[in-house]
Amino acid sequence: MSFVPGKPVTAVVQIIEIQKLRQGDNLILGFSIGGGIDQDPGQNPVSEDKSDMGIYVTRITPGGPAEVADLRVGDKIMQVNGWDMTVVTHDQARKRLTKKNEKVVRLLITRKSL
Amino acid sequence: YDISADKGERSRDRHKSRSKDSRSEKSVTINTPPAEPLLGDSSVRGEQVQDDNWGETTTAVTGTSEHSLSQEDIVRITKDLEDSVGLDCRRYVTRTIAVILGLLVFLTPLAFLVLPHILWPEKLQSCGTACEGLYISVAFKLLILLLAVWALFFRPARAGLPRVFVFRVLLAVLVFLFVVSYWLFYSVRILDSQDDNYQGIVQYAVSLVDALLFIHYLAVVLLELRQLQPCFSVCVTRSSDGETRHYNLGQLSIQRAALAIIEHYYCDFPIHNPALLSASKSRAAKHLAGLKVYNVDGPGNNAAAGMAQSQSRAMIAAAARRRDTSHNELYYEEAEHERRVRKRRARLVVAVEEAFTHIKRMQEEEPKKAPGDVMDPREAAQAIFPSMARALQKYLRTTKQQHCHSMESIQQHLAFCITNNMTPKAFLESYLTPGPTLQYGKDHWLGRRWTLISEASVTNGLKDGSVFVLKCVDFSLVVTAKKIPYIQMSEEYIDPKSHKFVLRLQSETSV
């Protein structure tokens, strides 16, 4: 899944819709992300290609909305609600996932088994 | 050290009359006489012998040799000469030549200055100021020359080498020719014509002394400085137990390299212990024991060589096929020996530590004890020795070192350690590990006579791949020389500001 600069990235993706769950003051999705263009891709524990700076799902909270929606550890998130996630910093990714006015997030994820 | 010079029995290969079968292996003996200043002229004598040899064994008639001698006669004469005359002759001849040359060198300038005054005093111009200044210059330069020659040449010789030291001969010849040519010029131009310009004569003498100082500089460079830069790495292996060391040597002739290696040997190699080799020899004997070869084909079959060859091949094949469990024995024997040595060593260390606690250095302020209680180091050593003697003896027997240390030497060493406030561990160090040969008594220096065996002439320089063997009574040292490669170094400049670092993280955020 590594990209060649200048060429379009092609991948087989799956659409996963997650309903955010309200926990006190926050809307949570129930998973953790890792990766980003400002991070060290070699230390990413779940990625297949250790030079890939994309956003990956590193942990799923058991019983949370993500698990219900069949998101798995190791999935690479390509788009969130239309916003690209392949070339973003870690903080930008976090912001796009935790927008307070969105109740539903539509993820395009890719994984090896697809 | 004493000496015996032994010439090779076969002739040198530079005489083309030799057939190719007789390899010219030169075997010469290195020894260490007390003083041998300048020259060795053994090659001069050798030359004569070789010429006779050569004349005798070719078929061409040279006309130079009038007597007919066989090779055995030559060899016998050489041996007789050297046995009776021995190296003393060589040493005395060397000394005589050195003294003559030295006197020639020092008296010549003085003679140059004094002779005009003796031979034609009336005609001579008086010596002015500049000329008398030159007197001082000659005096001091001669003094410096005297000190320099004493420093360089009149040192006790370390060894007696088989062939002449080529550079020294060269220098002696150069000095001789130089002085002779100066005398020639002097006698023709000055003595014969009775030159009256005394200042010119003094300047001539000064130029002689200057040139001698420059020749001395040449001597320093050739004899001392040239071999300092390491050029070869030599690997020295002892044939009896495989101890190997590596040394760096400069550009030396083979005999001087051999001398340097022997001196290193005495300092670095642990002492040769024949008792440790008996185990492997008995194993080797056991391998082929119990195998007998019977020739069932009857006599008159092959030539004797062919039979011997097939016999040995059969033995080797049979030995290989036999199911041999000697490796098992070796393993268990070595483990058992290791355990035994460690146990004895532990007992020894405890005994020595305990013995050392009985001795204390007497302080001056202590109330004076009775004279019977106060001991000198020797008596103190004798007092505590019995308590550790048995443990030490058993340990030495187990490690097969008991012949290296006599009781007297152990007590001496103990007294020495007590005098110098050494700990028990320091005392034991010389018994726990075998030290270099020089550490033991003089009777253990078995190899003061060394023989240098080399295929190339021993005055040739060391080359890449030179191999020679230094043989001693019990073992030999095999020496291989390798040239140190030419090193090509390039530089790379690093700007100190170019050392920059970044932080590489991998964060995990839960959403």
Side-chain angles (χ1 to χ4, degrees):
Chain A
M1 279 191 267
S2 62
F3 69 96
V4 175
K7 295 266 160 45
V9 175
T10 55
V12 181
V13 295
Q14 181 179 333
I15 303 178
I16 291 189
E17 267 198 30
I18 309 183
Q19 307 277 341
K20 288 198 188 179
L21 180 66
R22 179 159 288 279
Q23 232 189 33
D25 221 9
N26 306 320
L27 286 166
I28 63 160
L29 286 160
F31 64 96
S32 299
I33 53 165
I37 53 176
D38 54 341
Q39 307 287 309
D40 178 11
Q43 293 180 46
N44 194 331
V46 299
S47 65
E48 291 270 334
D49 179 6
K50 292 300 176 189
S51 63
D52 185 6
M53 298 195 203
I55 305 291
Y56 283 78
V57 175
T58 53
R59 221 164 17 102
I60 306 264
T61 326
E67 196 185 8
V68 167
D70 197 27
L71 191 64
R72 297 184 202 160
V73 170
D75 290 352
K76 177 172 172 183
I77 304 176
M78 309 291 277
Q79 268 188 22
V80 171
N81 284 344
W83 292 100
D84 169 61
M85 294 288 257
T86 53
V87 191
V88 288
T89 66
H90 190 85
D91 208 41
Q92 282 171 343
R94 181 190 58 86
K95 282 196 190 122
R96 286 179 192 171
L97 281 166
T98 52
K99 288 206 160 53
K100 287 225 151 88
N101 49 2
E102 290 172 356
K103 292 268 169 64
V104 173
V105 286
R106 224 160 172 249
L107 306 177
L108 279 175
I109 60 107
T110 178
R111 59 172 87 104
K112 200 149 179 259
S113 53
L114 291 177
Chain B
Y1 298 114
D2 45 276
I3 292 161
S4 82
D6 218 7
K7 286 289 180 293
E9 308 253 319
R10 303 172 217 148
S11 68
R12 314 297 190 246
D13 63 348
R14 56 181 116 129
H15 304 291
K16 305 188 213 81
S17 62
R18 289 279 115 216
S19 64
K20 288 301 176 195
D21 310 326
S22 64
R23 284 183 63 234
S24 50
E25 202 179 50
K26 299 158 190 28
S27 155
V28 287
T29 316
I30 295 182
N31 297 285
T32 54
E36 196 206 10
L38 265 185
L39 299 173
D41 66 338
S42 57
S43 79
V44 174
R45 248 186 308 152
E47 289 282 29
Q48 294 158 358
V49 176
Q50 288 161 36
D51 283 346
D52 277 338
N53 237 350
W54 180 74
E56 201 31 51
T57 52
T58 45
T59 51
V61 175
T62 60
T64 53
S65 65
E66 315 216 71
H67 312 279
S68 85
L69 297 163
S70 67
Q71 188 181 352
E72 291 84 38
D73 287 345
I74 300 295
V75 167
R76 199 165 23 90
I77 291 175
T78 318
K79 278 216 164 294
D80 287 348
L81 249 183
E82 290 171 3
D83 286 350
S84 61
V85 172
L87 197 76
D88 283 350
C89 173
R90 190 168 138 183
R91 218 187 303 159
Y92 289 142
V93 170
T94 312
R95 288 219 118 162
T96 323
I97 293 183
V99 165
I100 291 176
L101 211 56
L103 282 176
L104 194 65
V105 158
F106 282 106
L107 294 182
T108 304
L110 300 175
F112 284 1
L113 292 176
V114 160
L115 278 175
H117 279 296
I118 297 177
L119 292 179
W120 61 95
E122 324 78 34
K123 282 209 295 183
L124 214 50
Q125 282 177 9
S126 72
C127 197
T129 325
C131 173
E132 286 175 359
L134 289 174
Y135 275 164
I136 299 180
S137 153
V138 166
F140 275 103
K141 282 182 182 159
L142 271 181
L143 178 66
I144 291 173
L145 188 61
L146 181 69
L147 284 174
V149 164
W150 169 81
L152 191 61
F153 292 107
F154 287 92
R155 293 181 285 190
R158 291 156 27 200
L161 298 180
R163 301 280 183 93
V164 306
F165 196 164
V166 174
F167 284 143
R168 282 190 173 176
V169 171
L170 263 163
L171 284 167
V173 167
L174 182 66
V175 166
F176 182 72
L177 286 178
F178 179 73
V179 171
V180 162
S181 66
Y182 259 69
W183 268 112
L184 215 58
F185 183 87
Y186 185 78
S187 56
V188 166
R189 291 300 209 81
I190 297 181
L191 284 182
D192 277 355
S193 63
Q194 301 213 334
D195 192 8
D196 56 355
N197 179 7
Y198 193 55
Q199 181 159 356
I201 294 177
V202 179
Q203 274 179 336
Y204 185 66
V206 172
S207 80
L208 169 67
V209 182
D210 284 342
L212 284 173
L213 280 172
F214 284 131
I215 293 185
H216 189 266
Y217 158 74
L218 180 67
V220 168
V221 164
L222 279 183
L223 298 179
E224 301 289 319
L225 291 184
R226 192 167 169 261
Q227 77 255 28
L228 289 180
Q229 192 183 40
C231 205
F232 293 96
S233 168
V234 295
C235 169
V236 184
T237 313
R238 185 158 60 182
S239 67
S240 61
D241 56 355
E243 279 281 335
T244 309
R245 295 279 188 282
H246 296 265
Y247 302 112
N248 281 355
L249 293 179
Q251 279 171 317
L252 291 168
S253 60
I254 289 184
Q255 60 180 6
R256 284 170 79 195
L259 177 64
I261 287 169
I262 292 179
E263 291 177 345
H264 282 295
Y265 168 81
Y266 278 124
C267 298
D268 289 338
F269 276 69
I271 188 168
H272 164 78
N273 197 346
L276 295 172
L277 307 167
S278 53
S280 64
K281 284 191 194 147
S282 62
R283 270 203 301 276
K286 268 198 281 183
H287 279 313
L288 290 177
L291 281 180
K292 292 182 90 163
V293 178
Y294 294 97
N295 192 356
V296 294
D297 291 335
N301 213 354
N302 294 329
M307 262 210 309
Q309 233 186 9
S310 59
Q311 259 189 17
S312 53
R313 272 211 216 112
M315 286 186 86
I316 293 174
R321 268 197 293 269
R322 186 171 67 172
R323 204 103 60 96
D324 204 353
T325 54
S326 58
H327 59 272
N328 241 354
E329 287 169 28
L330 174 63
Y331 170 69
Y332 283 115
E333 205 180 286
E334 279 196 347
E336 177 62 34
H337 182 256
E338 182 76 9
R339 209 178 58 86
R340 225 178 316 141
V341 164
R342 283 214 203 112
K343 215 157 158 211
R344 292 263 165 96
R345 181 197 160 124
R347 284 205 194 122
L348 173 63
V349 168
V350 163
V352 170
E353 280 176 1
E354 209 207 315
F356 266 66
T357 57
H358 296 310
I359 289 275
K360 207 165 72 91
R361 188 172 269 270
M362 191 180 100
Q363 310 297 331
E364 287 305 325
E365 314 88 48
E366 276 182 19
K368 297 284 178 214
K369 306 213 167 173
D373 283 346
V374 176
M375 301 181 281
D376 71 354
R378 235 192 102 66
E379 289 163 4
Q382 276 170 348
I384 60 172
F385 180 66
S387 57
M388 66 168 91
R390 195 147 172 272
L392 185 58
Q393 204 182 37
K394 277 196 161 163
Y395 180 80
L396 289 178
R397 271 226 192 98
T398 316
T399 53
K400 302 208 178 85
Q401 284 179 315
Q402 72 271 19
H403 59 93
C404 300
H405 304 280
S406 68
M407 203 164 82
E408 181 59 38
S409 77
I410 299 176
Q411 280 184 350
Q412 257 177 359
H413 187 239
L414 185 54
F416 174 75
C417 292
I418 293 178
T419 321
N420 291 304
N421 296 325
M422 292 204 199
T423 59
K425 190 167 189 294
F427 163 69
L428 277 179
E429 193 54 38
S430 68
Y431 302 109
L432 295 179
T433 45
T437 315
L438 281 179
Q439 185 188 311
Y440 298 88
K442 290 215 174 208
D443 45 322
H444 283 104
W445 299 3
L446 303 166
R448 275 185 285 155
R449 291 164 174 263
W450 292 85
T451 311
L452 173 58
I453 302 173
S454 147
E455 288 169 17
S457 161
V458 298
T459 47
N460 282 357
L462 271 183
K463 290 197 189 39
D464 185 30
S466 303
V467 174
F468 54 94
V469 176
L470 285 160
K471 204 158 77 102
C472 178
V473 176
D474 294 328
F475 56 89
S476 48
L477 296 174
V478 182
V479 179
T480 342
K482 280 201 166 40
K483 204 168 160 64
I484 293 177
Y486 176 74
I487 295 170
Q488 180 73 37
M489 217 187 292
S490 55
E491 78 160 296
E492 189 184 323
Y493 173 69
I494 291 190
D495 186 3
K497 293 205 214 32
S498 69
H499 297 295
K500 295 196 187 324
F501 294 92
V502 290
L503 213 52
R504 305 185 78 182
L505 307 164
Q506 178 68 20
S507 340
E508 202 187 350
T509 324
S510 57
V511 295

